[in-house]
Amino acid sequence: MCGIVGYVGFRDCQGILLKGLGRLEYRGYDSAGVAIVDGSLHVAKCAGKVRDLESRLAADPPRGSLGIGHTRWATHGLPDDINAHPHVSSSGRIALVHNGIIENYAALKQTLAAKGCVFRSQTDSEVVVQLIEEILNGDPDLSFEAAIRLALGQVTGTYGLAIVNLDDPARLYVARKGSPLIVGLGDGETFVASDATPIVEYTNRVVYLDDGELAVLSPGSCEVRTIDDVPLTKDVHELALSLDAIEKGGFPHFMLKEIHEQPRSVADCLRGRLLPTGHVQLGGLAGVLDRIASARKLTIAACGTSWHSALVGEYLIEHLARLPVEVEYASEFRYREPLLDGNDVLLAISQSGETADTIAALREAKQHGALVLGICNVVGSTLARETDAGVYTHAGPEIGVASTKAFTAQVVALALVALALAEKRGTLSPARAARVAEEFHRIPEKIAEILTQEAAIRTLADRFTYAPNFLYLGRSFNFPVALEGALKLKEISYIHAEGYPAAEMKHGPIALIDRLMPVVVLATTGHTSDKMLANIEEVKARQGRVIAVTTPGQSEVKRLAEFVIEVPETDDLLSPLLAVIPLQLLAYHIAVNRGCDVDQPRNLAKSVTVE
């Protein structure tokens, strides 16, 4: 989950590294550091944010054209100065940054310590740099690249590595197994990073490293071989990412910008895919749609917000296409011996396409012979490369750690899959399909209409900024939205919140309701309105504070609720795309009121690349 950036070329690299770390900080922000070769190996690192590292470097900036940087999400060892990356070998001549987990680090550390190696940190990462140096010391004729290969042959776990050597000042060494790395090729300069955001300013020509590959980077070149020393020819891809897309664009936080981008991101996900007749054109699934439609069942694996969108997808696909769907936590999927074979389909969902548990789930499904599909936002990601087919969401970069537009874009993609399967399986009449398509195309403007209510939602947030707990209730298509609303509040404001199917409230959570408990009720789906009214009455009978998200025609809901947020009418199937928007804004403004770091909430990282 950490962020890695590296450079070799003709420029002073400190500014490139620091700017790159700033763009990668959403991947981890416990500590940050750089190692720059400038005649000596200059290492600076500290606990805290990238801005703290910048202050530390300001007094004595190193001047060198080879360097690596790292922003950390701690796994092994406290987030302090000592455990910050880069880690340096005993001689002080080799430095390394690492994303991932070295599972056998304890055994390696014990062996190295017995040989006299002194460790400075409590991290698993330091073991790798000490092991490389120990191998070199044992055979002075060995090349540095060969020593790295031998070291990685002893390592069990996952890694994205960038390594510099004071004795080899014109080359940067990188390796990948389970943690993403992308190489940028410039004119006389080469970059490496955990994703494209630090690279796009300098070049749009990139190489995606795959697992089990090691690359030697020189100014303007990239030589890739397998860990077993087999030469590889890698394709050079062109980035479809603009610099403007990764800036705040005048908003105080990325999260607020991304909330307001949803009219566009939903429209972009729909564009060219849904005809007025209701016919869906998903080029990424064209060759496998028959197999999906005839599958025994469809399993969806995801984590976090993507798991919530998967739940919406389950409702949509079962309702429209009458195909059985199971939604799995990707983190649990492979540990319970899943019953899959060639008749089954697994759909993996990940915004980044790099979520470690989700990648592990798709690989498990592949081993069982299942057809593996993906929904993700990042072209060239591991998920995109390893699935048999899939759908890009085209939401644009999402920098805020708490996902917003990723959720709505994933729901759009899942709804399109559901409509495509319904047509293929003959479970939806042409007239109904056309009505859904007509309403679907109105969703972007209806989201824009909700966003005009931000000031009123901010006022509502002021009332409940210091509530100790929240309860979110939804039914049918909006039960997953209740879960997502609660997650957003927990993630960024640190208020305890829970989402429940509304009918389950009386099976336990009702014991928590009193005059201090705000209860957010999602009452936008017409076919459950009578049941939701009964739930509101139950909350009011216990003096709970009812905040209703509802539609203009729900007069009884408005009469009973203490506070009301109106969203436009839409087809029940599509209501999650509208109901979630006020919940995102409510969580955002409560978090701002509480002085929380909205874009970088404590203990979290955007792309969870460790298991």
Side-chain angles (χ1 to χ4, degrees):
M1 289 156 68
C2 309
I4 289 173
V5 63
Y7 175 84
V8 57
F10 56 87
R11 314 186 202 209
D12 284 339
C13 67
Q14 177 188 290
I16 294 170
L17 297 179
L18 289 175
K19 186 181 291 184
L21 290 179
R23 290 177 179 159
L24 289 171
E25 200 165 22
Y26 69 94
R27 301 179 69 94
Y29 30 86
D30 293 336
S31 59
V34 296
I36 296 173
V37 176
D38 62 350
S40 62
L41 186 60
H42 188 114
V43 176
K45 57 183 184 174
C46 62
K49 303 291 183 72
V50 173
R51 62 176 177 265
D52 300 310
L53 176 64
E54 290 175 340
S55 298
R56 183 163 295 195
L57 283 165
D60 183 23
R63 303 293 182 190
S65 56
L66 170 64
I68 53 178
H70 188 270
T71 181
R72 182 176 185 236
W73 186 85
T75 57
H76 295 68
L78 294 171
D80 57 21
D81 288 9
I82 294 173
N83 290 324
H85 296 221
H87 292 291
V88 180
S89 65
S90 295
S91 69
R93 304 188 73 77
I94 304 170
L96 165 151
V97 293
H98 170 229
N99 177 26
I101 293 178
I102 307 302
E103 295 173 4
N104 63 334
Y105 86 99
L108 292 172
K109 187 172 184 177
Q110 185 177 17
T111 300
L112 291 168
K115 294 180 179 181
C117 182
V118 177
F119 288 85
R120 302 178 181 90
S121 76
Q122 291 78 51
T123 69
D124 56 329
S125 307
E126 187 186 357
V127 167
V128 182
V129 73
Q130 301 290 14
L131 179 59
I132 293 169
E133 183 161 88
E134 177 64 26
I135 290 170
L136 281 173
N137 289 340
D139 185 354
D141 295 328
L142 201 64
S143 72
F144 188 58
E145 182 180 346
I148 294 173
R149 295 185 196 285
L150 289 172
L152 295 182
Q154 299 182 44
V155 164
T156 301
T158 59
Y159 52 77
L161 294 168
I163 310 164
V164 294
N165 181 358
L166 185 58
D167 299 322
D168 193 2
R171 282 189 285 268
L172 171 60
Y173 297 81
V174 299
R176 171 192 168 145
K177 182 183 177 185
S179 294
L181 286 176
I182 178 173
V183 175
L185 301 175
D187 186 7
E189 55 188 350
T190 306
F191 308 80
V192 67
S194 297
D195 64 38
T197 54
I199 293 173
V200 65
E201 182 174 349
Y202 307 100
T203 181
N204 66 350
R205 298 173 61 245
V206 298
V207 170
Y208 298 104
L209 293 186
D210 290 309
D211 282 356
E213 294 180 353
L214 185 150
V216 181
L217 310 184
S218 303
S221 71
C222 170
E223 297 179 5
V224 184
R225 305 172 85 87
T226 69
I227 298 299
D228 298 324
D229 203 21
V230 177
L232 298 171
T233 300
K234 301 288 288 185
D235 292 333
V236 177
H237 300 266
E238 186 171 322
L239 285 176
L241 175 68
S242 70
L243 192 58
D244 289 345
I246 58 174
E247 302 295 342
K248 290 181 182 175
F251 286 90
H253 297 97
F254 281 109
M255 182 180 178
L256 187 60
K257 177 194 177 194
E258 288 152 9
I259 290 171
H260 280 266
E261 285 177 338
Q262 287 173 109
R264 180 197 57 76
S265 60
V266 166
D268 286 348
C269 193
L270 278 173
R271 184 168 291 113
R273 290 172 163 174
L274 180 60
L275 301 183
T277 60
H279 175 67
V280 174
Q281 301 177 141
L282 291 173
L285 297 183
V288 296
L289 197 60
D290 286 334
R291 184 173 170 187
I292 304 168
S294 61
R296 177 175 58 188
K297 67 177 178 182
L298 172 63
T299 301
I300 308 179
C303 301
T305 285
S306 296
W307 189 79
H308 296 156
S309 68
L311 288 178
V312 179
E314 178 182 22
Y315 282 95
L316 291 169
I317 293 168
E318 290 193 342
H319 180 83
L320 291 171
R322 311 308 296 161
L323 177 67
V325 178
E326 292 182 4
V327 176
E328 300 273 1
Y329 283 110
S331 56
E332 289 294 317
F333 178 74
R334 66 188 173 121
Y335 293 111
R336 60 174 194 78
E337 300 179 3
L339 300 175
L340 294 177
D341 60 28
N343 296 312
D344 295 310
V345 177
L346 179 99
L347 172 59
I349 306 178
S350 166
Q351 188 280 141
S352 66
E354 303 293 351
T355 308
D357 289 318
T358 307
I359 300 300
L362 76 84
R363 289 171 178 167
E364 179 76 13
K366 272 192 166 184
Q367 289 180 2
H368 288 269
L371 176 69
V372 178
L373 313 174
I375 291 177
C376 77
N377 190 35
V378 181
V379 175
S381 62
T382 301
L383 185 144
R385 297 200 307 275
E386 294 197 12
T387 47
D388 299 311
V391 180
Y392 285 116
T393 57
H394 299 301
E398 188 177 67
I399 307 299
V401 166
S403 284
T404 52
K405 66 178 180 176
F407 175 81
T408 48
Q410 288 167 0
V411 170
V412 170
L414 287 160
L416 292 173
V417 170
L419 287 167
L421 289 173
E423 182 179 21
K424 181 66 69 171
R425 290 168 63 88
T427 56
L428 192 65
S429 71
R432 173 75 171 121
R435 288 196 301 273
V436 173
E438 182 181 10
E439 185 56 36
F440 216 153
H441 283 294
R442 292 174 178 163
I443 291 295
E445 67 187 59
K446 291 184 176 184
I447 293 175
E449 183 181 336
I450 297 168
L451 291 171
T452 64
Q453 300 181 58
E454 183 177 357
I457 295 170
R458 185 188 305 121
T459 300
L460 181 60
D462 294 342
R463 287 179 175 270
F464 293 106
T465 291
Y466 297 103
N469 302 281
F470 264 73
L471 191 62
Y472 290 72
L473 302 178
R475 285 178 180 264
S476 183
F477 302 106
N478 279 321
F479 158 53
V481 178
L483 295 177
E484 176 62 11
L487 177 62
K488 289 286 96 58
L489 192 68
K490 284 184 281 194
E491 284 180 312
I492 63 172
S493 75
Y494 320 138
I495 293 174
H496 174 256
E498 296 294 338
Y500 276 92
E504 289 298 306
M505 177 184 63
K506 56 185 173 289
H507 296 289
I510 198 167
L512 300 172
I513 295 175
D514 60 18
R515 60 185 177 80
L516 298 177
M517 173 71 85
V519 181
V520 180
V521 178
L522 301 172
T524 63
T525 48
H527 71 288
T528 62
S529 58
D530 289 344
K531 300 293 186 183
M532 291 304 299
L533 287 172
N535 295 136
I536 294 172
E537 292 277 20
E538 290 165 354
V539 172
K540 286 180 66 66
R542 284 136 185 103
Q543 297 185 297
R545 313 287 300 277
V546 176
I547 303 168
V549 178
T550 191
T551 53
Q554 299 278 4
S555 57
E556 273 300 290
V557 171
K558 296 175 186 177
R559 183 182 67 80
L560 292 171
E562 185 176 357
F563 305 97
V564 173
I565 304 171
E566 262 193 17
V567 300
E569 292 270 8
T570 191
D571 193 294
D572 283 357
L573 295 167
L574 306 175
S575 61
L577 294 167
L578 303 183
V580 75
I581 306 299
L583 308 190
Q584 295 171 350
L585 288 169
L586 183 65
Y588 170 81
H589 286 291
I590 288 175
V592 170
N593 288 348
R594 290 167 65 89
C596 300
D597 192 336
V598 172
D599 285 336
Q600 297 176 356
R602 69 188 182 203
N603 302 332
L604 297 179
K606 181 69 175 176
S607 182
V608 185
T609 56
V610 296
E611 295 182 38

